Amino acid sequence: MNFCDFNTLALEFTTLSINSPEFRLLYYYYNLFMGSFEYSGDDEMYETQFNGLGAIDKYLFYSIAVAFFKDPVLGVQVSPANFRGNINLVYLPDKWYVIYGGNGKQVELSNDNSVLGFNDYAKVPPVLYIYHYVKKIVELERTTDLNTFQQRTPYIFEIPEEQKKSAELFLSELNNYAKAVFTRKSAKADKFNKNLTPADITVFNTGVEFKGLNFEQLINIYHGKILSYIGIESGAAIEKAERLVTSEADSNKAMTQIQAKSRLKCREIALKRVNAKFGTNYECKPIVPAYTTQKQGDEHVNVIDDSDHE
């Protein structure tokens, strides 16, 4: 699979129906994804680019990369990169193009006149991973709704026709949470004159075991996987944090911090190159608490080192 294949695959998710639960849940995580970083130095870009440098996260959610380039009228712009040309030794193309502006202007670019920016070291559109679990969560929510509805299914009573009123009284006592229900049995009962007894009733139990809590636990696990991928620490990845053994908690935190560092460093590298090429002063910093770790009584400690990962 090459870069073009990834771009084509990612486009599948932009055609989801706005009325589908998958769409609504996906865009919940889309919003979390876009709210992870804060950019500065892009005041002028806000006049020509929606969200300013925040467009980086908007586009990287479903694209492999964004391209920074300078338009003669609009100035520095950022747009999803579409790849063409040959792949070099580090698996990057030598040419790419962008489509931007209200009239869909297409411009071919290269390292000579633009800079590529990626979401993380893997260079894979995040929507591919996130949507995988979104589908699972939606399916579990549908199953939970069905399982919950099945708990409302009534008992079915089969009774003699002439005892309908007695049966209604019997059911009324059940509905009113009676502590006990008394029935009468005549010593000289016949088919025309007898009272309703449990022996006269056939009950069909249509109840289904309630598994909603099990489904909810799975939903929390999948939700935690998505948050960890975005870079947000969450004890839901396995269980509530206080129930995790130390090694499990440390492992979850480490995975989240590795992902967070990967996202941050890729943005820092891209903006550093943009500043050098176009004379800008763009900066990026995380605003998600998960990008830092805090011990009780301590100040926030940055878990992202300062080494440049080129």
Side-chain angles (χ1 to χ4, degrees):
M1 179 174 285
N2 58 32
F3 283 104
C4 294
D5 294 327
F6 273 130
N7 274 354
T8 302
L9 189 58
L11 285 174
E12 170 191 345
F13 308 104
T14 65
T15 60
L16 284 173
S17 169
I18 194 172
N19 295 319
S20 69
E22 289 86 357
F23 178 93
R24 293 191 289 269
L25 184 57
L26 181 63
Y27 272 73
Y28 165 74
Y29 292 114
Y30 183 30
N31 190 53
L32 292 180
F33 180 87
M34 290 194 298
S36 302
F37 299 99
E38 184 175 47
Y39 300 92
S40 60
D42 59 343
D43 293 344
E44 293 183 1
M45 185 182 285
Y46 269 94
E47 299 178 6
T48 60
Q49 183 89 50
F50 180 71
N51 279 351
L53 280 177
I56 296 174
D57 301 312
K58 172 186 176 182
Y59 296 138
L60 282 179
F61 186 74
Y62 60 85
S63 301
I64 295 174
V66 292
F68 297 86
F69 59 98
K70 194 165 187 177
D71 181 270
V73 176
L74 301 177
V76 178
Q77 297 290 288
V78 58
S79 187
N82 299 278
F83 297 101
R84 60 168 57 136
N86 300 318
I87 302 296
N88 62 21
L89 292 177
V90 291
Y91 200 58
L92 289 175
D94 57 3
K95 295 180 181 179
W96 48 90
Y97 68 94
V98 295
I99 301 174
Y100 72 102
N103 58 354
K105 183 179 181 181
Q106 180 174 316
V107 177
E108 186 168 289
L109 303 167
S110 68
N111 282 318
D112 295 332
N113 56 4
S114 70
V115 172
L116 288 179
F118 300 93
N119 175 63
D120 54 27
Y121 300 148
K123 301 179 176 65
V124 175
V127 70
L128 297 178
Y129 180 91
I130 295 175
Y131 187 64
H132 171 74
Y133 287 106
V134 163
K135 289 189 294 184
K136 290 179 179 292
I137 291 174
V138 170
E139 186 64 28
L140 280 169
E141 287 180 338
R142 287 179 175 137
T143 305
T144 301
D145 289 344
L146 178 60
N147 187 244
T148 302
F149 175 78
Q150 289 170 335
Q151 307 310 304
R152 299 167 55 192
T153 304
Y155 285 97
I156 299 175
F157 294 87
E158 185 179 59
I159 60 173
E161 178 64 30
E162 62 272 15
Q163 296 299 327
K164 181 179 179 181
K165 289 186 177 181
S166 296
E168 290 175 347
L169 177 62
F170 181 49
L171 183 60
S172 175
E173 293 187 56
L174 290 177
N175 287 337
N176 290 320
Y177 302 96
K179 295 181 179 179
V181 177
F182 297 93
T183 62
R184 293 174 296 171
K185 183 175 182 180
S186 173
K188 297 181 179 180
D190 55 48
K191 65 178 181 180
F192 299 108
N193 182 25
K194 67 177 181 178
N195 295 304
L196 182 66
T197 70
D200 297 320
I201 303 174
T202 300
V203 180
F204 300 93
N205 185 356
T206 58
V208 176
E209 181 184 358
F210 180 65
K211 298 183 179 180
L213 296 179
N214 295 333
F215 299 146
E216 188 68 25
Q217 186 178 32
L218 277 175
I219 289 173
N220 287 336
I221 289 174
Y222 295 147
H223 174 65
K225 286 179 178 291
I226 295 175
L227 294 184
S228 179
Y229 176 79
I230 293 174
I232 303 174
E233 287 182 4
S234 170
I238 298 181
E239 288 183 285
K240 289 185 177 179
E242 63 268 19
R243 296 179 182 174
L244 297 176
V245 298
T246 302
S247 60
E248 290 174 322
D250 290 344
S251 176
N252 289 343
K253 181 175 292 187
M255 289 187 293
T256 302
Q257 292 175 355
I258 288 171
Q259 185 63 29
K261 174 181 176 179
S262 176
R263 293 188 65 206
L264 177 60
K265 292 303 293 184
C266 283
R267 284 159 177 75
E268 289 178 338
I269 292 169
L271 294 181
K272 179 179 178 180
R273 292 172 176 169
V274 170
N275 291 338
K277 184 177 288 291
F278 301 118
T280 52
N281 189 32
Y282 299 150
E283 292 183 354
C284 170
K285 66 178 180 179
I287 58 175
V288 177
Y291 283 80
T292 59
T293 184
Q294 184 182 38
K295 297 180 180 179
Q296 188 172 2
D298 293 342
E299 295 297 326
H300 280 82
V301 180
N302 196 349
V303 301
I304 310 300
D305 64 38
D306 296 326
S307 60
D308 200 355
H309 184 93
E310 297 287 347

